[in-house]
Amino acid sequence: MDTSIGVVGPHDLVDSVATVCEEQAGVRVHRFDYDHETQASAMVTTHASGVDAWLFTGIVPYTLAHDALTRPAAFVDYSGSTLLEALVRLLRDGHDVTRLSVDTLDPAQVHGTLRDAGVPVSDVRTLPYRPGATAADFAAFHRRHATRHDGTVAVTCLASVHDELSGHLPVFRLAPSGQSVRAALRQLLLSATSQIQEDAQVALGLVEVSPATELDDLAREVGLLGGSLSQYSETLSLIVTTRGPLHDASRGFTALPFLHRLGQRHDVVRVGFGIGHSGAEAERLARRALARARSHGDVAAVVSSRNDVDILLETVAPAEAPKAAQSRAVVASRVGLSVGTLDRLRDITAATDDRPLTTRDVADGLGVQLRTARRILQRLELAGCAERSGSLESGTIGRPLTLYRITL
C-alpha cells in the first residue's frame, strides 16, 4: 500500500520537491502550492483527510502550519547540501561567499556548514526563523547588513523576501537540493509508517449505560468512530474500531463528544477503550480502561494502551472549581500525572525555548529514570500534549533519540 505524502510550499518549489519524492517507490504525492506562506495552515486543515503525512518545502510553512497538523510532518532542511549548493552557484557567479546575510536557518548549522567548506564566517550574519517573524523582518535584516558591509549577498529561504529585495541588493534564494529532499523524505516515511501501523491497531470499547438504552440509540452516537456496535453482555455494549478513527473522533485522545450527550439522558455513562495489536490485548485493556472510568465518576471515558498508559478522555469536573485550576487538574487527570509534574515539564520546555526534547532531557529535568520519562512522554503523546518531531543521533552506538515537542 502506497504512503500518501502532501507536499506544501510555494508554486515554484512544490513541483521540484514532489518530483524528487516520486522517485521513491511506494510513495504517492499530492501537490499543495500557495501564493504566500501564511496560507500553509489553511491548506493542511482543508486536506488533512487525504494524506498520510506532510512534507513542507521549508521550516517557515512547517512552523506556520504546525498547530493544524494531525499527521506526521517534516520539512526540508536547507542548512546542509542545499546551502553548499548555493555557495557553489554564488562563487560561479563571482560573488564573495565570505560576506553573507542568511535568514531563517539556524546560526550554528550555517556557521558549521561554512567552516566545514573552509569559508570564513566572521562577516556572515544570520537571523533564524522564530514564530511571528515576517518577510518584512527578514528583508529589514538583510538591508541593515548590506548597508554596513559592501558586497554582501542576501541569502533567503522565502520567495516574498527575494521579491522584495530583488533590484535593490544582491540576493540569492535557496531552493532545496535533491539530497536535502531525500533526507527529509526518509525521516518522514519512518514517522508515517509508524503512524500507519499505530492507526491500524485494534481499538475495542466497552460501554456501560444506566438506565439501559436501545442498541440503535447508542449506534447513532458512536457512528463517527467508523466501527461496529454489538451487545457484549447484559450490561455492556462493545464498540469495534481501529486506533486511527478513534484518535480523530476523540480529537486526539482529548475528549469524547458523545459522552456528554449520553450523560444528559442517562445517570451513568462509562466508556473504556483498549488499544492493542490483537483483539485479545485490546479487550484486556478495554476492561482496565472501564475499571478506571468507574473510579472517575458516573460519566467518564478512558483509553488504555500497552505500557500502562491510561488517558482520561473526558469527565464531568466540579462546576465550582476555579477555571485555571480546573483546566490544569483536568489535564493532569487525563494523563495520569500530578499538576506539579506538569508544571515542572512546562518549566523545562520554557527553559529550552520550547525546542523539542528527548527522553533524556525529560528524565534529567524531572530527576527520574529513562523508563519513567519514556512512559510520561507516551502518556502526553496519547493525550495530544506531545508530538514526535524527528530524531537526534545520540553520538553512541544504538538507535537515535526520539524528539518530542511538548505543548502544555
Side-chain angles (χ1 to χ4, degrees):
M1 182 177 177
D2 290 347
T3 301
S4 176
I5 304 293
V7 177
V8 181
H11 299 298
D12 57 344
L13 294 185
V14 163
D15 195 57
S16 60
V17 171
T19 299
V20 174
C21 293
E22 288 170 336
E23 298 171 356
Q24 174 70 43
V27 169
R28 186 172 68 257
V29 178
H30 301 276
R31 293 162 168 80
F32 300 103
D33 53 336
Y34 52 66
D35 296 314
H36 195 274
E37 53 267 12
T38 53
Q39 298 171 326
S41 181
M43 285 186 166
V44 166
T45 301
T46 302
H47 301 285
S49 61
V51 302
D52 297 317
W54 295 102
L55 179 61
F56 294 85
T57 60
I59 189 174
V60 175
Y62 169 83
T63 304
L64 292 173
H66 183 269
D67 290 343
L69 293 172
T70 58
R71 294 286 187 269
F75 62 88
V76 182
D77 184 3
Y78 290 8
S79 60
S81 63
T82 292
L83 184 57
L84 288 174
E85 186 176 291
L87 293 179
V88 173
R89 292 177 180 272
L90 289 171
L91 284 170
R92 186 183 62 191
D93 293 339
H95 293 289
D96 182 358
V97 296
T98 67
R99 293 178 178 271
L100 303 175
S101 57
V102 184
D103 67 37
T104 304
L105 305 184
D106 178 79
Q109 291 180 324
V110 170
H111 290 164
T113 298
L114 294 179
R115 288 194 186 99
D116 288 344
V119 178
V121 298
S122 58
D123 288 328
V124 175
R125 298 294 179 267
T126 57
L127 182 63
Y129 180 76
R130 293 288 183 268
T134 65
D137 296 329
F138 290 125
F141 154 73
H142 289 299
R143 289 194 181 98
R144 287 195 303 270
H145 194 51
T147 301
R148 296 169 185 166
H149 303 274
D150 291 336
T152 294
V153 179
V155 178
T156 181
C157 299
L158 298 174
S160 51
V161 175
H162 180 272
D163 293 343
E164 183 171 342
L165 297 180
S166 292
H168 301 283
L169 54 91
V171 58
F172 182 92
R173 182 183 168 205
L174 291 173
S177 69
Q179 184 176 343
S180 294
V181 174
R182 293 184 191 96
L185 180 62
R186 284 195 297 270
Q187 174 187 328
L188 180 60
L189 288 177
L190 288 174
S191 299
T193 300
S194 175
Q195 185 66 57
I196 291 171
Q197 292 173 346
E198 287 185 5
D199 285 349
Q201 287 181 327
V202 179
L204 298 182
L206 295 177
V207 184
E208 180 180 61
V209 177
S210 179
T213 183
E214 294 292 331
L215 208 60
D216 289 345
D217 180 43
L218 188 58
R220 286 191 293 270
E221 292 292 352
V222 301
L224 290 177
L225 295 177
S228 62
L229 181 71
S230 61
Q231 197 69 40
Y232 183 77
S233 68
E234 290 185 4
T235 58
L236 297 176
S237 300
L238 175 67
I239 300 171
V240 180
T241 184
T242 55
R243 184 188 186 280
L246 176 60
H247 175 275
D248 294 341
S250 62
R251 302 170 187 170
F253 298 121
T254 60
L256 203 59
F258 71 75
L259 189 65
H260 280 322
R261 294 194 295 271
L262 287 173
Q264 291 172 352
R265 304 196 298 269
H266 301 274
D267 297 331
V268 175
V269 182
R270 302 186 184 109
V271 185
F273 281 102
I275 301 175
H277 291 290
S278 66
E281 182 182 35
E283 182 180 5
R284 175 179 61 80
L285 292 170
R287 289 179 176 276
R288 187 178 80 188
L290 182 60
R292 185 177 175 198
R294 287 170 176 159
S295 70
H296 278 283
D298 292 335
V299 180
V302 171
V303 59
S304 295
S305 66
R306 51 177 44 193
N307 299 322
D308 297 325
V309 177
D310 297 323
I311 300 296
L312 181 64
L313 294 184
E314 188 173 348
T315 188
V316 178
E320 66 273 10
K323 187 172 182 180
Q326 176 178 310
S327 63
R328 288 198 305 159
V330 168
V331 173
S333 180
R334 271 191 19 238
V335 299
L337 300 172
S338 69
V339 172
T341 298
L342 292 183
D343 288 342
R344 289 168 65 190
L345 281 169
R346 187 172 55 187
D347 292 341
I348 293 169
T349 57
T352 55
D353 295 326
D354 294 323
R355 67 171 174 81
L357 303 175
T358 66
T359 307
R360 170 60 65 187
D361 293 330
V362 173
D364 292 345
L366 296 179
V368 298
Q369 295 182 347
L370 278 175
R371 169 183 268 183
T372 302
R374 191 174 297 113
R375 289 186 177 180
I376 288 173
L377 286 167
Q378 288 173 341
R379 293 182 181 213
L380 292 171
E381 182 181 18
L382 194 58
C385 297
E387 177 187 6
R388 301 184 194 192
S389 60
S391 59
L392 180 69
E393 295 295 337
S394 62
T396 60
I397 297 175
R399 295 164 57 185
L401 300 172
T402 301
L403 290 169
Y404 290 86
R405 189 175 296 279
I406 300 175
T407 53
L408 293 172

